[in-house]
Amino acid sequence: MHIFKTIQPLKKFLTKAVARNKTVGLVPTMGTLHEGHLALVNKSLEDNDISVCSIYVNPTQFNNPQDLEKYPRNLASDLAMLEKTQCQVVFCPSDEEMYPEGKENSLTINMGYLNTVLEGKYRPGHFSGVGVVLSKLFHIVNPDRVYFGQKDLQQVAVVQNLIHNLFFDLQLIRVPTVRNESGLALSSRNNRLSESDKITATALYRALMMIKEELQKKPAQVVAAQQKGLRFLENEGNIKVEYLEIIDTEKFGIVSDTRNHQEIAICIAAYVGEVRLIDNVLL
Ligand code: AMP
């Protein structure tokens, strides 16, 4: 496994590989890897000659400084996990390498409508930081394919927009959410949950599945299904729901009737104790 901390040697390595007609897949992550991340890496390994996994806790996408400070970091164990997957390349740069202009002087990107709903609304500046760091990574790696988890569904829509509007010549692959045996979506943030909160957090998935069942029976009764899910979560204690919305995955418009849309998702963000978790299921 080749580990790069700086841009130029990585670019040199990849230019040579591309000259030999090798295809390149990129899996951007913030580290503290788990099976969810590895599903992305494994898909990239299947599809491409060379896979690059980036590990970088991007400061410009954190709207809350405490969240950035508390974000778990485990580079040594991340590298050991990646080694086992046969991933060929890891890119783990410093802030100075990624933001030589200074984090405070970073460009910003206005994601338009996507900034006004769900994650965009509740995490001001988040998608700007995501867009900037991914634009940098796409230019550095120049991948054929990039891999993102369905778990961060709105991020998928943001990246599709970025690719389209900035003419990036690459394909986005969405990989299904990996869950534990109780249904809890794997997340690096789960490391910050107490053992009892880990059990409480499984209620999020149960609420999403409950709403899904309701909507399958009554596709036009969106508000009733949403209310049923919220009532269920109210009784769980130690869960504070930030949003629970039913949207179409293409435009991220909030829908009042689930019929006549290509793909619908039920999305939630909630605090379990002090930890903010997000999850979604497709209808
Ligand atoms: P993160 O390190 O949290 O920024 O996530 C890096 C990538 O892994 C993103 O594309 C996430 O959507 C994806 N990811 C995180 N958790 C999961 C999961 N449980 N299942 C599938 N993909 C995931």
Side-chain angles (χ1 to χ4, degrees), residues 37 77 82 87 114 145 200 205 208 249:
H37 297 112
S77 72
L82 286 173
C87 178
L114 286 168
R145 300 182 187 87
T200 308
Y205 181 61
L208 292 175
T249 59

Side-chain angles (χ1 to χ4, degrees), residues 28-31 34 36-37 40 71 147-152 155 175-178 185-188:
T29 81
M30 298 206 297
H34 50 64
H37 297 112
L40 273 61
Y71 200 86
Y147 295 80
F148 290 90
Q150 184 204 313
K151 159 132 187 320
D152 298 276
Q155 177 167 269
V175 178
T177 304
V178 178
L186 301 189
S187 164
S188 310

